[in-house]
Amino acid sequence: VGYAASKFEIVSFACEDASRTERDFLCECYRTAIAAGATTIGFPDTVGILTPEKARDFMKVLKDGVPNLDRALLAVHFHNDLGLAVANTLACIAEG
């Protein structure tokens, strides 16, 4: 029996603790995941170390370094250790 993918299939990929991952390697992981069929790419800051400026910078890096990013949804996940989770989320939205 073969497997037929549904147009409603969701495949999510996230690098644990992406905010501390080397940026070139992170982009390579996301490019590969999308090419393999990921429909959602997660960017987690699981240690809550980012500021809004750094979060925005990461979004720029991903937009520039993952040319196939337009084929997936981009989700962010921020822990609130520094009280900046909402501010970081809004900075990412503002970056597009």
Side-chain angles (χ1 to χ4, degrees):
V1 174
Y3 173 75
S6 165
K7 69 177 183 173
F8 300 108
E9 188 170 88
I10 298 171
V11 177
S12 180
F13 175 84
C15 294
E16 185 69 22
D17 200 12
S19 60
R20 294 194 300 172
T21 303
E22 293 178 14
R23 292 173 181 211
D24 289 340
F25 181 66
L26 184 64
C27 289
E28 180 182 346
C29 289
Y30 288 159
R31 285 191 305 266
T32 302
I34 294 168
T39 58
T40 301
I41 296 299
F43 177 80
D45 176 27
T46 53
V47 292
I49 61 169
L50 292 181
T51 62
E53 295 78 19
K54 289 181 182 177
R56 187 179 302 113
D57 288 345
F58 260 107
M59 294 304 104
K60 291 177 186 174
V61 166
L62 296 180
K63 289 186 336 187
D64 293 342
V66 185
N68 58 350
L69 189 58
D70 63 341
R71 294 180 24 210
L73 297 173
L74 177 60
V76 296
H77 174 93
F78 295 111
H79 284 209
N80 203 34
D81 299 47
L82 300 176
L84 294 172
V86 173
N88 289 343
T89 302
L90 293 173
C92 291
I93 291 169
E95 182 56 37

